[in-house]
Amino acid sequence: MQMMTRDVLLDMEQEEDDDEDGDIGDVAASNRPFLRTHTPPSGLALENFDQMVLSSFGTLESQQDLRSPQFEEFNGKPDSLFFNDGQRRIDFVLVYEDESRKETNKKGSNEKQRKKRQAYESNLIHDGLQLEATRSVLDDRLVFVKVHAPWEVLCTYAELMHIKLPLKPNDLKTRSSAFGNFTWFSKVLQVDESIIKPEQEFFTAPFEKNRMNDFYIRDKDTFFNPATRSRIVYFILSRIKYQVRENVKKFGINKLVSSGIYKAAFPLHDCNFSCPSEDFSCPNERYLLYTEWAHPRSIYKKQPLDLIRKYYGEKIGIYFAWLGYYTQMLLLAAVVGVACFLYGYVNRNNCTWSKEVCDPDIGGNIIMCPQCDNICPFWKLNITCDSSQKLCIFDSFGTLVFAVFMGVWVTLFLEFWKRRQAELEYEWDTVELQQEEQPRPEYEARCTHVVINEITQEEERVPFTTWGKCIRAVLCASAVLFWILLIIASVIGIIVYRLSVFIVFSAKLPKNFNGTDPIQKYLTPQTATSITASLISFVIIMILNIIYEKVAIMITNFELPRTQTDYENSLTMKMFLFQFVNYYSSCFYIAFFKGKFVGYPGDPVYWLGKYRNEECDPGGCLFELTTQLTIIMGGKAILNNIQEVLLPWVKNLIGRCRTVSGSEKISPRWEQDYHLQLMGRLGLFYEYLEMIIQFGFVTLFVASFPLAPLLALVNNILEIRVDAWKMTTQYRRMVPEKAQDIGAWQPIMQGIAILAVVTNAMIIAFTSDMIPRLVYYWSFSVPPYGNHTHYTMEGYINNTLSIFNIADFKNRSKGNPYSGLGDHTTCRYRDFRYPPGHPQEYKHNIYYWHVIAAKLAFIIVMEHIIYSVKFFLSYAIPDVSKSTKSKIKREKYLTQKLLHENHLKDMTKNMGVIAESIIGAIDNNVRPKLE
């Protein structure tokens, strides 16, 4: 059937633009040389075709060929995936609310929306798509427009999109199981192949219509699988125009949905997740994914990645492949982390310095200086006995070993993941994806400048010049930097709040507690300050997060990346930079700033001249950092999983209750899917972000919390199944997308891995007391600095606490504010300074400089050792295994050979026909002359 190639567009009068994201899909018609997607089935050149379309624009009233989808009643088959004729498959569904039946009927606005929708649907039909409309069974205001792409349209756009399709069965791919030596164990973990059958492998090549005979076409209805069909139809829907206003074109289903003209647009799930379809032709892939992947009883099984990829596309498949591989690697890290934790737990009673803190004759006789001005009392060191014993578990030699191990582990994980990713690229035919990925329609619409391609030396169109690109890059970088500085300013504001409000709470809260009042017992100034500061910080973080998400999308739209992969990578980098500061700033503050610049009791350091700098808790900053990480990681994991399960489930439950309203009518597949939740434009972004933030906690601060990998492992085992359950049961089916790798998340993880070596070395050197203890043990416990005859940790506490004369407080002229708190002449504080009466009193002593030198030497040595091992492993482990390289080259060779042989056969056949024709012509001309 010859399909029409003329678009029907609306040339409306001046009206207020009711669309969101005004820069998407709008471009002056005079500045747009082409729009690639309006390629007609006849294969005309893109530019020539669009020029032909430009001459046919007109007003709605002047168009005689406006075409609308045919309305059909629901045929009563709830599992049907076809039009009412049972032959044409539904590739996409558009949903809109009938303007004539809206409760709030604004005639002017509704009429404009109706005209745009009619023009859009007419252009879909003119481009070869087939539409069928059906009114909702449960709500007669809703209309579902089912879209079907016939064979000719699929072939045309498959060639345009460079989609790889099967040439012939491939017998080269032999997959070796990681559990090949444990057959019985492998059977337990693997998905039963009798339930989910392995996919047949093929040699593939980009589709070409003129070489259709070369491809493995056994059945035209199944040659393009449902995921590919939906991807092609979405490609068309995203580029069809629907309006021209003031010489500006508007196009794309995304803009129509965002402006409310359509309520939804989605591909269909193939069946109900809880039971197989009654239609024998249905593959029931959703049901298989639920029972063998998303169901809790399958939590111990390996993921059916090939089926996930086939049903949801490579982008979803690569996410779950990465998450599964990350979880497997966490198992090793968790085992080593638990071993280091148990080592510290078993040896906590052998911790000499903790025994001295708890000893009534040592720690009980050491009076510590107040930690704030005027209000805070003196306190005895032995009140920190409990926290010092807990600190011995984490601040041990095992922690140092674990930090070095994690520096190596993260390198192994990243390198082996690259190899696994290369295998998936080969198996899923995404090796040359960058060459076949199409530009975004928003990018195509802005291509107005002509430049010379450096490679082809031919003219091509780009959206802006080199100078314009530089200006956009500077503006975008400035905007991102501004928001990062804003979150840093908010963190500084929270610190100032903590410093100022602590004094207020110390003055207002009662100082003499009644033991029978539990509120007074726990509501201390420290607790009140911490709780209120955490709440304010949480509110600020959430507000900035919501605002910055919108700003990041606006900035990325302004950048105008060429492909969808470029768009997502650019957005990922912007969002992660913000989230990095947002999530990790408090941990960096506790680890590297809190308690480091406090001066000494007679001369404390003040913020802004009035707020005394914070000191660490009596148990030390390392234990506080451990507590912070435990709360953040544990609380974040629990809340995220509860939120991911409850929110979509509750929303769907409320939607079903509102829609059904007591009736038990049978609803079709498209209406059931419409009432599910939408995944959102960012798609997997937040899933990746959640895992990468966790990856940062596991690697950046693991020296203070060896159990972090164990918590991450437990969370990820649940996360995989929760995400699977959510996508399979609670969300509409997403448009399948191609993806070669995990995108910008890979370099982000590599950056975190490099930074983790520095942070862990600095945590051990500056946050923990490991280096001061080692310096005391090897240098200051024996002569000439010590009095012991052998190396020992005895006397460490007394040697590392400096002495301060109470009479030297700066405000003693006003009277000693501490006189009522005990009859003391001196107190002790955490630092390495000379005692009062020394010629250099309160100056740093020799111990301090020994410790500083040892800390710097430790950081340099540890960093160089771990970096050397990392770079050696990165060099020694190739990104693509030798076998995978051979398979890729072998398949490419056989594919080219197959295409070449077929081409030779066609040429030979054609040459034979030509030769016969020539011989016949000569024979006909020569024979009469001879006769």
Side-chain angles (χ1 to χ4, degrees):
M1 174 182 175
Q2 182 68 29
M3 288 183 292
M4 301 180 67
T5 61
R6 192 158 68 100
D7 287 352
V8 180
L9 299 177
L10 291 173
D11 188 5
M12 293 185 165
E13 298 179 354
Q14 288 266 354
E15 61 181 20
E16 182 180 356
D17 191 2
D18 56 354
D19 297 341
E20 298 177 4
D21 302 327
D23 60 331
I24 299 178
D26 300 354
V27 65
S30 59
N31 292 333
R32 289 190 63 251
F34 65 92
L35 188 60
R36 297 187 60 142
T37 58
H38 288 285
T39 304
S42 59
L44 293 176
L46 297 173
E47 293 84 351
N48 295 339
F49 173 70
D50 197 69
Q51 292 298 330
M52 182 181 70
V53 172
L54 287 174
S55 62
S56 64
F57 297 158
T59 61
L60 177 64
E61 289 77 6
S62 66
Q63 298 295 336
Q64 302 298 325
D65 54 357
L66 186 65
R67 304 175 65 181
S68 300
Q70 183 178 0
F71 270 81
E72 297 286 349
E73 294 294 330
F74 172 49
N75 59 10
K77 298 178 181 179
D79 294 329
S80 177
L81 302 175
F82 297 87
F83 282 14
N84 275 11
D85 58 15
Q87 301 295 323
R88 292 173 291 174
R89 183 182 181 87
I90 301 173
D91 299 317
F92 226 86
V93 175
L94 311 178
V95 188
Y96 68 88
E97 187 173 1
D98 192 346
E99 291 80 4
S100 63
R101 305 193 183 190
K102 283 185 178 180
E103 295 179 356
T104 57
N105 190 6
K106 299 178 181 179
K107 292 185 178 179
S109 175
N110 290 340
E111 184 63 20
K112 294 172 186 175
Q113 290 189 352
R114 185 183 64 81
K115 289 181 178 180
K116 292 178 183 178
R117 190 184 65 254
Q118 287 179 344
Y120 182 74
E121 292 175 356
S122 180
N123 289 335
L124 291 178
I125 297 174
H126 289 158
D127 257 34
L129 297 180
Q130 298 175 4
L131 309 183
E132 181 180 270
T134 301
R135 199 169 290 278
S136 170
V137 175
L138 305 176
D139 185 356
D140 60 0
R141 293 174 299 177
L142 294 178
V143 176
F144 294 88
V145 180
K146 296 163 284 185
V147 182
H148 168 76
W151 172 256
E152 284 295 326
V153 173
L154 293 173
C155 292
T156 298
Y157 282 93
E159 182 175 5
L160 176 66
M161 297 168 66
H162 306 289
I163 295 177
K164 288 186 174 181
L165 292 169
L167 287 172
K168 63 176 292 187
N170 182 357
D171 55 355
L172 294 178
K173 296 185 181 181
T174 56
R175 301 182 185 178
S176 58
S177 172
F179 304 94
N181 297 327
F182 304 95
T183 305
W184 61 272
F185 190 57
S186 176
K187 290 182 179 179
V188 174
L189 297 180
Q190 294 283 359
V191 177
D192 190 351
E193 292 187 357
S194 63
I195 299 176
I196 299 181
K197 297 180 181 180
E199 292 294 321
Q200 185 178 7
E201 303 293 345
F202 290 92
F203 292 117
T204 61
F207 185 78
E208 296 180 27
K209 289 179 67 176
N210 58 358
R211 309 185 72 170
M212 193 177 297
N213 293 332
D214 295 340
F215 290 87
Y216 192 77
I217 304 175
R218 292 294 178 268
D219 185 355
K220 290 185 177 181
D221 294 332
T222 59
F223 180 65
F224 294 97
N225 63 36
T228 304
R229 297 177 68 99
S230 298
R231 189 155 67 96
I232 291 174
V233 172
Y234 181 73
F235 184 88
I236 301 172
L237 294 177
S238 300
R239 290 159 170 80
I240 293 294
K241 298 174 287 235
Y242 62 87
Q243 179 188 359
V244 171
R245 180 171 58 84
E246 294 181 353
N247 207 27
V248 172
K249 297 180 184 178
K250 296 180 181 293
F251 60 90
I253 187 61
N254 292 331
K255 192 170 181 66
L256 290 170
V257 172
S258 65
S259 60
I261 296 176
Y262 285 102
K263 298 181 71 67
F266 53 89
L268 290 178
H269 283 295
D270 65 350
C271 67
N272 199 317
F273 70 87
S274 58
C275 59
S277 173
E278 296 179 359
D279 187 353
F280 295 104
S281 63
C282 178
N284 294 313
E285 291 174 351
R286 185 189 186 194
Y287 171 74
L288 293 177
L289 285 172
Y290 174 73
T291 55
E292 300 298 322
W293 177 47
H295 199 279
R297 67 167 176 264
S298 301
I299 194 170
Y300 63 92
K301 290 185 178 181
K302 296 181 69 175
Q303 301 183 84
L305 293 177
D306 287 336
L307 184 58
I308 298 171
R309 169 248 182 172
K310 179 183 176 184
Y311 192 75
Y312 287 112
E314 286 77 6
K315 189 175 181 180
I316 301 280
I318 199 74
Y319 163 73
F320 281 104
W322 171 81
L323 182 56
Y325 196 82
Y326 172 45
T327 304
Q328 291 178 16
M329 291 294 291
L330 276 176
L331 181 60
L332 176 61
V335 170
V336 179
V338 170
C340 293
F341 173 80
L342 293 177
Y343 171 83
Y345 182 80
V346 171
N347 291 280
R348 72 189 188 283
N349 295 326
N350 300 327
C351 193
T352 304
W353 62 272
S354 178
K355 290 180 180 179
E356 292 184 352
V357 171
C358 298
D359 191 341
D361 297 328
I362 302 177
N365 291 327
I366 295 178
I367 305 300
M368 302 297 292
C369 297
Q371 291 187 324
C372 69
D373 296 334
N374 300 324
I375 306 299
C376 299
F378 294 94
W379 51 284
K380 293 184 178 181
L381 182 63
N382 64 347
I383 68 172
T384 64
C385 175
D386 185 55
S387 59
S388 68
Q389 290 178 342
K390 294 177 182 177
L391 187 60
C392 285
I393 299 175
F394 299 100
D395 194 1
S396 65
F397 179 73
T399 302
L400 173 60
V401 174
F402 188 57
V404 174
F405 167 79
M406 288 300 292
V408 177
W409 173 88
V410 70
T411 303
L412 292 174
F413 163 62
L414 293 176
E415 293 303 317
F416 283 122
W417 164 247
K418 290 179 185 177
R419 292 167 66 90
R420 175 59 178 151
Q421 189 170 257
E423 293 175 1
L424 291 175
E425 288 178 17
Y426 167 70
E427 294 173 5
W428 292 353
D429 283 323
T430 59
V431 176
E432 299 177 351
L433 179 63
Q434 295 298 329
Q435 300 177 10
E436 65 180 76
E437 189 171 9
Q438 299 297 311
R440 298 166 57 242
E442 294 83 1
Y443 179 89
E444 290 179 326
R446 302 284 180 176
C447 290
T448 58
H449 298 278
V450 179
V451 297
I452 303 298
N453 189 299
E454 295 180 356
I455 299 175
T456 63
Q457 293 298 312
E458 295 179 356
E459 288 188 354
E460 66 176 10
R461 296 183 180 273
V462 294
F464 31 73
T465 61
T466 304
W467 178 245
K469 188 175 182 179
C470 293
I471 293 177
R472 286 172 180 257
V474 170
L475 292 176
C476 294
S478 302
V480 173
L481 180 61
F482 168 77
W483 281 91
I484 291 177
L485 293 176
L486 186 63
I487 188 63
I488 293 176
S490 70
V491 172
I492 295 175
I494 294 297
I495 295 172
V496 173
Y497 169 83
R498 290 168 65 98
L499 299 176
S500 59
V501 83
F502 178 76
I503 301 174
V504 176
F505 282 132
S506 298
K508 298 295 183 182
L509 293 177
K511 301 179 179 60
N512 298 319
F513 297 117
N514 182 0
T516 60
D517 191 344
I519 297 179
Q520 286 188 356
K521 181 179 179 181
Y522 294 104
L523 192 59
T524 62
Q526 292 89 346
T527 305
T529 302
S530 179
I531 292 175
T532 55
S534 299
L535 291 174
I536 293 174
S537 177
F538 173 76
V539 172
I540 292 176
I541 286 173
M542 294 305 296
I543 293 175
L544 290 178
N545 195 16
I546 293 172
I547 297 175
Y548 183 77
E549 178 185 326
K550 299 182 181 301
V551 172
I553 294 175
M554 291 174 59
I555 295 173
T556 310
N557 289 337
F558 179 71
E559 280 184 355
L560 203 63
R562 181 178 182 273
T563 64
Q564 185 64 25
T565 299
D566 295 337
Y567 181 89
E568 292 176 0
N569 290 345
S570 178
L571 180 62
T572 296
M573 293 301 298
K574 294 179 182 63
M575 288 294 292
F576 179 77
L577 285 174
F578 176 79
Q579 298 290 355
F580 182 89
V581 179
N582 212 2
Y583 279 99
Y584 299 137
S585 56
S586 61
C587 293
F588 273 98
Y589 168 70
I590 294 173
F592 305 123
F593 296 99
K594 186 176 181 180
K596 301 297 185 295
F597 311 100
V598 295
Y600 61 96
D603 187 20
V605 176
Y606 290 89
W607 276 66
L608 305 178
K610 59 185 295 189
Y611 302 113
R612 181 170 172 175
N613 207 346
E614 267 191 306
E615 294 189 32
C616 292
D617 289 343
C621 282
L622 183 67
F623 186 68
E624 187 176 351
L625 179 60
T626 302
T627 305
Q628 179 89 347
L629 287 172
T630 305
I631 294 173
I632 291 177
M633 284 195 65
K636 185 173 180 294
I638 293 172
L639 288 177
N640 281 343
N641 283 317
I642 292 176
Q643 182 180 0
E644 288 182 5
V645 171
L646 286 183
L647 279 183
W649 182 77
V650 171
K651 288 180 179 178
N652 287 333
L653 183 63
I654 294 174
R656 286 194 298 267
C657 292
R658 288 179 176 177
T659 305
V660 175
S661 64
S663 65
E664 297 184 359
K665 296 180 180 180
I666 298 176
S667 57
R669 171 85 272 136
W670 50 85
E671 191 153 359
Q672 296 174 36
D673 286 3
Y674 170 70
H675 293 294
L676 297 177
Q677 295 301 304
L678 176 66
M679 187 70 178
R681 285 194 301 176
L682 295 179
L684 292 176
F685 173 80
Y686 286 110
E687 304 295 341
Y688 272 116
L689 179 63
E690 179 185 351
M691 290 296 102
I692 297 298
I693 294 295
Q694 181 206 86
F695 178 79
F697 283 124
V698 168
T699 54
L700 290 174
F701 307 101
V702 75
S704 65
F705 189 37
L707 294 180
L710 179 63
L711 289 181
L713 174 65
V714 174
N715 174 74
N716 288 6
I717 292 174
L718 297 175
E719 181 75 21
I720 291 174
R721 306 303 164 175
V722 168
D723 287 346
W725 174 85
K726 181 175 62 177
M727 290 185 182
T728 308
T729 66
Q730 303 300 312
Y731 283 98
R732 297 172 191 160
R733 187 175 182 177
M734 288 160 288
V735 179
E737 294 183 53
K738 284 276 187 179
Q740 189 176 24
D741 48 37
I742 61 175
W745 300 111
Q746 182 79 25
I748 285 174
M749 287 194 296
Q750 291 174 340
I752 291 176
I754 294 174
L755 181 61
V757 178
V758 180
T759 56
N760 284 305
M762 294 183 67
I763 286 173
I764 294 174
F766 292 104
T767 309
S768 75
D769 287 334
M770 184 176 295
I771 302 300
R773 291 199 300 269
L774 291 175
V775 170
Y776 175 81
Y777 182 84
W778 292 107
S779 298
F780 285 83
S781 63
V782 295
Y785 302 109
N787 300 322
H788 298 281
T789 58
H790 60 281
Y791 298 111
T792 180
M793 285 299 296
E794 294 180 2
Y796 169 76
I797 292 297
N798 188 61
N799 191 272
T800 55
L801 291 177
S802 300
I803 302 174
F804 181 76
N805 189 353
I806 295 178
D808 292 336
F809 278 111
K810 281 190 174 182
N811 55 358
R812 61 183 181 275
S813 59
K814 301 179 182 178
N816 188 356
Y818 306 105
S819 58
L821 304 177
D823 187 14
H824 311 297
T825 58
T826 62
C827 61
R828 310 294 289 271
Y829 59 98
R830 291 169 56 95
D831 208 343
F832 306 108
R833 296 177 183 268
Y834 288 111
H838 192 276
Q840 297 182 5
E841 65 174 2
Y842 304 136
K843 300 292 185 181
H844 287 120
N845 57 23
I846 190 67
Y847 192 178
Y848 172 82
W849 298 111
H850 274 73
V851 169
I852 289 296
K855 288 181 176 180
L856 295 177
F858 171 80
I859 292 175
I860 293 172
V861 172
M862 181 177 175
E863 285 183 355
H864 279 69
I865 291 176
I866 297 180
Y867 280 141
S868 299
V869 174
K870 285 171 66 70
F871 292 140
F872 172 76
L873 290 175
S874 299
Y875 176 78
I877 302 174
D879 293 347
V880 184
S881 65
K882 186 177 180 180
S883 61
T884 303
K885 285 182 180 178
S886 300
K887 289 178 181 178
I888 293 173
K889 292 179 180 178
R890 175 69 174 164
E891 181 173 346
K892 189 173 184 179
Y893 165 73
L894 292 177
T895 301
Q896 291 177 346
K897 182 180 178 182
L898 177 64
L899 292 174
H900 182 64
E901 289 177 351
N902 291 338
H903 184 60
L904 285 178
K905 290 179 182 178
D906 292 341
M907 287 195 63
T908 303
K909 184 179 179 180
N910 294 334
M911 290 295 293
V913 172
I914 294 173
E916 290 179 0
S917 301
I918 293 174
I919 292 173
I922 294 174
D923 186 59
N924 293 333
N925 292 330
V926 173
R927 186 182 299 273
K929 294 180 179 180
L930 292 176
E931 291 177 352

